[in-house]
Amino acid sequence: MIILLFLGCSQLVMAENADSTELQPKFALTYTGELQTDFKTTSQVNLLQLHAELPLSRSLSFQATSLSVASTHDELLFENMMGYSDLDAYDKSFALQKAGLQWRINDRHTLFAGVRCMDEDYFCSDGLSLYTSPSSGHFPILSCNYFVPTYPFAAMGLHYVYETDPLCLQASVYNGTPSQDFTGRNNVFRFCPKDDGIFALAQAEYRYRDSRYFLGASLYNDYEYDIYFDGEELQEEPLGRKTYPTAWAYAEQSLSSRCMLIAAYGHSFSSDDLLRNYYGLGAQYALGKVQFGFYSDYVRMLGVDEWDTEFVCNIDLNDYLSVKPVLHILNCDNKTQCIGLLRLTVNLNN
């Protein structure tokens, strides 16, 4: 299907005569550095993102994004289920997050085929993007239950968007096993739903004045295994394929031009999943180029209750540079820990 799409788009490229000003390539570089502390020890995480968009015609472009992660630690400063920083990942150089063709069919319809990370499209609203908790970036009913293409992983797939002024509908289908590698059986360019399963999700977004409302659902289909010990080693016996459905909703309700409330809920419908429900509640206040916010979310997994309350302040120093001090108050299994973050972000683009 991807090959047919490429051939059709190639004919479109030869047929169109776009102005040279519309065919200028675009490049962007984003560096994010973060200091983390439990007020006893300190660690650091560095993230470098490179993005390129190469227009092939007025409606067709090739897009690519890579990330590189380098950190001074392998373990979290405080062991918990949801984490406290959406930058935490194993060290990796130039892992693909996006690589494929995007076809803007008309003003309302867009189709992308290739390697993609779901973070490009889902749980990345202006309201949620202020926070640093991984749970606000991709709800844990997905990331804790299944191996899905979320940071720092990606997978081959298709992504479709229909957009009007008040409404945005999007749907995606991915290979069921994401990756960071370029070679081997589990490489990022692999698309084999028969062996790897499949992951599909869709979301509707409605905009009313300065408020936004989201409703989404997903299906994760993969093999179910019976794991047992045969006296010498663990064995896996496939029991057949099983589909795991989830749904979520969240709202960003504007109270004024400066103040916003956020409410989020996610639910897994499978009794086999480790995490069945996710709850989040937050607020934001903007004062010029400074944003203040808090976000508190709750999960219960494996009989353990966990709360994470985040207080954040984002300061845009100029068009390229921002600073974000953050305080997380984590309570996991009746243990409480404060984690402080100081994040510096540099955005450069042409």
Side-chain angles (χ1 to χ4, degrees):
M1 183 175 181
I2 296 176
I3 296 176
L4 293 175
L5 175 65
F6 179 80
L7 291 176
C9 292
S10 299
Q11 295 175 358
L12 180 63
V13 172
M14 293 184 290
E16 291 191 359
N17 182 22
D19 295 334
S20 59
T21 55
E22 296 180 350
L23 299 179
Q24 293 295 323
K26 299 177 182 178
F27 302 96
L29 179 153
T30 302
Y31 166 76
T32 306
E34 183 177 85
L35 291 175
Q36 306 176 351
T37 181
D38 60 358
F39 303 99
K40 296 179 182 178
T41 60
T42 302
S43 60
Q44 183 178 353
V45 182
N46 300 282
L47 171 65
L48 178 66
Q49 295 172 292
L50 302 175
H51 176 73
E53 181 175 349
L54 307 177
L56 304 177
S57 73
R58 292 178 180 175
S59 58
L60 184 69
S61 64
F62 174 79
Q63 299 181 358
T65 302
S66 72
L67 62 83
S68 301
V69 182
S71 59
T72 61
H73 65 286
D74 294 327
E75 303 293 335
L76 295 177
L77 297 175
F78 177 66
E79 291 295 332
N80 67 316
M81 295 180 291
M82 292 189 291
Y84 46 79
S85 173
D86 53 10
L87 299 187
D88 282 327
Y90 290 111
D91 290 358
K92 191 70 176 180
S93 298
F94 302 107
L96 282 181
Q97 294 289 276
K98 183 197 294 184
L101 293 173
Q102 179 162 294
W103 180 19
R104 189 165 187 82
I105 302 170
N106 54 40
D107 292 340
R108 296 187 177 183
H109 303 272
T110 304
L111 182 64
F112 177 93
V115 175
R116 199 172 182 95
C117 172
M118 61 177 283
D119 298 352
E120 292 274 341
D121 313 295
Y122 302 91
F123 312 110
C124 57
S125 64
D126 292 340
L128 292 179
S129 63
L130 174 65
Y131 307 106
T132 65
S133 170
S135 295
S136 61
H138 41 77
F139 288 1
I141 56 163
L142 295 175
S143 57
C144 287
N145 287 326
Y146 322 116
F147 188 26
V148 294
T150 187
Y151 172 88
F153 297 96
M156 285 289 291
L158 295 171
H159 177 68
Y160 168 76
V161 179
Y162 170 81
E163 188 165 9
T164 62
D165 185 27
L167 182 67
C168 178
L169 304 176
Q170 54 183 340
S172 308
V173 58
Y174 295 98
N175 189 57
T177 303
S179 178
Q180 292 178 299
D181 301 324
F182 294 102
T183 59
R185 177 181 174 85
N186 293 323
N187 69 84
V188 73
F189 300 105
R190 176 183 170 91
F191 190 80
C192 187
K194 180 179 179 181
D195 295 332
D196 297 341
I198 200 164
F199 177 57
L201 67 166
Q203 179 177 270
E205 173 190 352
Y206 178 72
R207 311 180 188 102
Y208 179 72
R209 296 182 179 176
D210 293 328
S211 300
R212 304 171 74 181
Y213 309 95
F214 303 82
L215 180 65
S218 72
L219 293 174
Y220 184 81
N221 181 270
D222 200 359
Y223 282 103
E224 184 182 18
Y225 293 90
D226 179 25
I227 301 177
Y228 62 93
F229 185 69
D230 65 358
E232 296 182 359
E233 59 184 9
L234 287 175
Q235 300 288 343
E236 291 185 352
E237 179 180 350
L239 300 177
R241 302 186 74 93
K242 185 173 181 178
T243 299
Y244 302 86
T246 60
W248 62 86
Y250 61 104
E252 299 176 355
Q253 178 65 51
S254 175
L255 301 182
S256 68
S257 60
R258 294 183 176 183
C259 188
M260 176 193 298
L261 294 180
I262 298 177
Y265 173 69
H267 177 72
S268 168
F269 294 94
S270 174
S271 59
D272 296 334
D273 285 342
L274 297 177
L275 195 153
R276 299 294 306 280
N277 295 288
Y278 168 77
Y279 307 88
L281 185 65
Q284 296 178 15
Y285 183 80
L287 186 62
K289 293 185 177 182
V290 182
Q291 283 182 287
F292 301 93
F294 88 90
Y295 190 78
S296 185
D297 51 8
Y298 167 79
V299 298
R300 178 176 176 82
M301 185 165 60
L302 299 174
V304 175
D305 296 297
E306 178 171 306
W307 286 94
D308 177 13
T309 300
E310 173 182 354
F311 297 91
V312 59
C313 173
N314 184 77
I315 307 168
D316 291 326
L317 301 178
N318 51 45
D319 293 338
Y320 310 101
L321 184 65
S322 65
V323 177
K324 183 181 292 187
V326 184
L327 177 66
H328 284 270
I329 302 176
L330 295 155
N331 184 281
C332 181
D333 200 18
N334 295 320
K335 299 177 182 178
T336 302
Q337 177 68 56
C338 292
I339 300 292
L341 310 177
L342 181 60
R343 180 175 296 188
L344 173 70
T345 302
V346 181
N347 283 303
L348 301 175
N349 58 70
N350 64 338

